[in-house]
PDB file of all heavy atoms in Angstrom:
ATOM      1  N   MET O  58     -33.146 129.138  75.901  1.00 96.00           N
ATOM      2  CA  MET O  58     -32.137 128.130  75.411  1.00 96.00           C
ATOM      3  C   MET O  58     -31.120 128.750  74.562  1.00 96.00           C
ATOM      4  O   MET O  58     -29.939 128.239  74.558  1.00 96.00           O
ATOM      5  CB  MET O  58     -32.922 126.994  74.754  1.00 96.00           C
ATOM      6  CG  MET O  58     -33.755 126.168  75.605  1.00 96.00           C
ATOM      7  SD  MET O  58     -34.331 124.518  74.859  1.00 96.00           S
ATOM      8  CE  MET O  58     -35.466 125.216  73.537  1.00 96.00           C
ATOM      9  N   SER O  59     -31.565 129.607  73.665  1.00 96.00           N
ATOM     10  CA  SER O  59     -30.407 130.252  72.861  1.00 96.00           C
ATOM     11  C   SER O  59     -29.375 130.916  73.582  1.00 96.00           C
ATOM     12  O   SER O  59     -28.222 130.931  73.268  1.00 96.00           O
ATOM     13  CB  SER O  59     -31.175 131.320  71.727  1.00 96.00           C
ATOM     14  OG  SER O  59     -32.052 130.607  71.036  1.00 96.00           O
ATOM     15  N   ILE O  60     -29.824 131.634  74.683  1.00 96.00           N
ATOM     16  CA  ILE O  60     -28.923 132.406  75.482  1.00 96.00           C
ATOM     17  C   ILE O  60     -27.904 131.431  76.317  1.00 96.00           C
ATOM     18  O   ILE O  60     -26.714 131.654  76.300  1.00 96.00           O
ATOM     19  CB  ILE O  60     -29.625 133.197  76.546  1.00 96.00           C
ATOM     20  CG1 ILE O  60     -30.407 134.327  75.802  1.00 96.00           C
ATOM     21  CG2 ILE O  60     -28.685 133.826  77.617  1.00 96.00           C
ATOM     22  CD1 ILE O  60     -31.413 135.178  76.830  1.00 96.00           C
ATOM     23  N   ILE O  61     -28.511 130.236  76.678  1.00 95.00           N
ATOM     24  CA  ILE O  61     -27.684 129.293  77.321  1.00 95.00           C
ATOM     25  C   ILE O  61     -26.671 128.708  76.385  1.00 95.00           C
ATOM     26  O   ILE O  61     -25.554 128.574  76.672  1.00 95.00           O
ATOM     27  CB  ILE O  61     -28.633 128.050  77.786  1.00 95.00           C
ATOM     28  CG1 ILE O  61     -29.494 128.527  79.085  1.00 95.00           C
ATOM     29  CG2 ILE O  61     -27.707 126.828  78.157  1.00 95.00           C
ATOM     30  CD1 ILE O  61     -30.401 127.482  79.410  1.00 95.00           C
ATOM     31  N   LEU O  62     -27.038 128.522  75.088  1.00 95.00           N
ATOM     32  CA  LEU O  62     -26.139 127.968  74.137  1.00 95.00           C
ATOM     33  C   LEU O  62     -25.122 128.952  73.823  1.00 95.00           C
ATOM     34  O   LEU O  62     -23.890 128.635  73.591  1.00 95.00           O
ATOM     35  CB  LEU O  62     -26.919 127.513  72.943  1.00 95.00           C
ATOM     36  CG  LEU O  62     -26.186 126.756  71.781  1.00 95.00           C
ATOM     37  CD1 LEU O  62     -25.695 125.488  72.406  1.00 95.00           C
ATOM     38  CD2 LEU O  62     -27.149 126.483  70.622  1.00 95.00           C
ATOM     39  N   LEU O  63     -25.406 130.241  73.672  1.00 96.00           N
ATOM     40  CA  LEU O  63     -24.470 131.292  73.287  1.00 96.00           C
ATOM     41  C   LEU O  63     -23.505 131.391  74.451  1.00 96.00           C
ATOM     42  O   LEU O  63     -22.281 131.496  74.086  1.00 96.00           O
ATOM     43  CB  LEU O  63     -25.330 132.590  73.210  1.00 96.00           C
ATOM     44  CG  LEU O  63     -24.304 133.954  72.927  1.00 96.00           C
ATOM     45  CD1 LEU O  63     -23.544 133.599  71.653  1.00 96.00           C
ATOM     46  CD2 LEU O  63     -25.107 135.133  72.920  1.00 96.00           C
ATOM     47  N   ILE O  64     -23.857 131.464  75.730  1.00 96.00           N
ATOM     48  CA  ILE O  64     -22.934 131.548  76.793  1.00 96.00           C
ATOM     49  C   ILE O  64     -22.006 130.374  76.837  1.00 96.00           C
ATOM     50  O   ILE O  64     -20.716 130.544  77.052  1.00 96.00           O
ATOM     51  CB  ILE O  64     -23.651 131.596  78.142  1.00 96.00           C
ATOM     52  CG1 ILE O  64     -24.585 132.745  78.332  1.00 96.00           C
ATOM     53  CG2 ILE O  64     -22.688 131.437  79.300  1.00 96.00           C
ATOM     54  CD1 ILE O  64     -25.435 132.908  79.443  1.00 96.00           C
ATOM     55  N   GLU O  65     -22.459 129.161  76.502  1.00 95.00           N
ATOM     56  CA  GLU O  65     -21.723 127.924  76.436  1.00 95.00           C
ATOM     57  C   GLU O  65     -20.602 128.127  75.295  1.00 95.00           C
ATOM     58  O   GLU O  65     -19.397 127.729  75.475  1.00 95.00           O
ATOM     59  CB  GLU O  65     -22.445 126.735  76.205  1.00 95.00           C
ATOM     60  CG  GLU O  65     -21.772 125.438  76.288  1.00 95.00           C
ATOM     61  CD  GLU O  65     -21.645 124.897  74.852  1.00 95.00           C
ATOM     62  OE1 GLU O  65     -22.319 125.401  73.879  1.00 95.00           O
ATOM     63  OE2 GLU O  65     -21.020 123.764  74.646  1.00 95.00           O
ATOM     64  N   LYS O  66     -21.077 128.634  74.142  1.00 96.00           N
ATOM     65  CA  LYS O  66     -20.155 128.772  72.973  1.00 96.00           C
ATOM     66  C   LYS O  66     -19.101 129.802  73.236  1.00 96.00           C
ATOM     67  O   LYS O  66     -17.992 129.528  72.967  1.00 96.00           O
ATOM     68  CB  LYS O  66     -20.917 129.179  71.747  1.00 96.00           C
ATOM     69  CG  LYS O  66     -21.915 128.060  71.294  1.00 96.00           C
ATOM     70  CD  LYS O  66     -21.210 127.055  70.491  1.00 96.00           C
ATOM     71  CE  LYS O  66     -22.361 126.112  69.812  1.00 96.00           C
ATOM     72  NZ  LYS O  66     -21.672 125.041  69.105  1.00 96.00           N
ATOM     73  N   VAL O  67     -19.537 130.938  73.829  1.00 96.00           N
ATOM     74  CA  VAL O  67     -18.612 132.107  74.011  1.00 96.00           C
ATOM     75  C   VAL O  67     -17.534 131.648  75.124  1.00 96.00           C
ATOM     76  O   VAL O  67     -16.271 131.869  74.954  1.00 96.00           O
ATOM     77  CB  VAL O  67     -19.310 133.310  74.529  1.00 96.00           C
ATOM     78  CG1 VAL O  67     -18.300 134.391  75.153  1.00 96.00           C
ATOM     79  CG2 VAL O  67     -20.196 133.902  73.444  1.00 96.00           C
ATOM     80  N   SER O  68     -17.876 130.888  76.248  1.00 95.00           N
ATOM     81  CA  SER O  68     -17.083 130.471  77.192  1.00 95.00           C
ATOM     82  C   SER O  68     -15.975 129.580  76.651  1.00 95.00           C
ATOM     83  O   SER O  68     -14.722 129.700  76.988  1.00 95.00           O
ATOM     84  CB  SER O  68     -17.752 129.948  78.413  1.00 95.00           C
ATOM     85  OG  SER O  68     -18.527 128.563  77.938  1.00 95.00           O
ATOM     86  N   MET O  69     -16.386 128.580  75.854  1.00 95.00           N
ATOM     87  CA  MET O  69     -15.366 127.676  75.286  1.00 95.00           C
ATOM     88  C   MET O  69     -14.496 128.265  74.396  1.00 95.00           C
ATOM     89  O   MET O  69     -13.216 128.033  74.232  1.00 95.00           O
ATOM     90  CB  MET O  69     -16.110 126.426  74.659  1.00 95.00           C
ATOM     91  CG  MET O  69     -16.868 125.519  75.734  1.00 95.00           C
ATOM     92  SD  MET O  69     -17.359 123.928  75.048  1.00 95.00           S
ATOM     93  CE  MET O  69     -18.473 124.532  73.824  1.00 95.00           C
ATOM     94  N   ALA O  70     -15.015 129.310  73.562  1.00 95.00           N
ATOM     95  CA  ALA O  70     -14.271 129.970  72.587  1.00 95.00           C
ATOM     96  C   ALA O  70     -13.165 130.839  73.190  1.00 95.00           C
ATOM     97  O   ALA O  70     -11.982 130.849  72.789  1.00 95.00           O
ATOM     98  CB  ALA O  70     -15.143 130.871  71.633  1.00 95.00           C
TER      99      ALA O  70
END
Side-chain angles (χ1 to χ4, degrees):
M58 289 193 293
S59 297
I60 295 172
I61 290 174
L62 189 58
L63 178 63
I64 293 172
E65 184 253 353
K66 295 280 186 182
V67 170
S68 62
M69 291 193 297

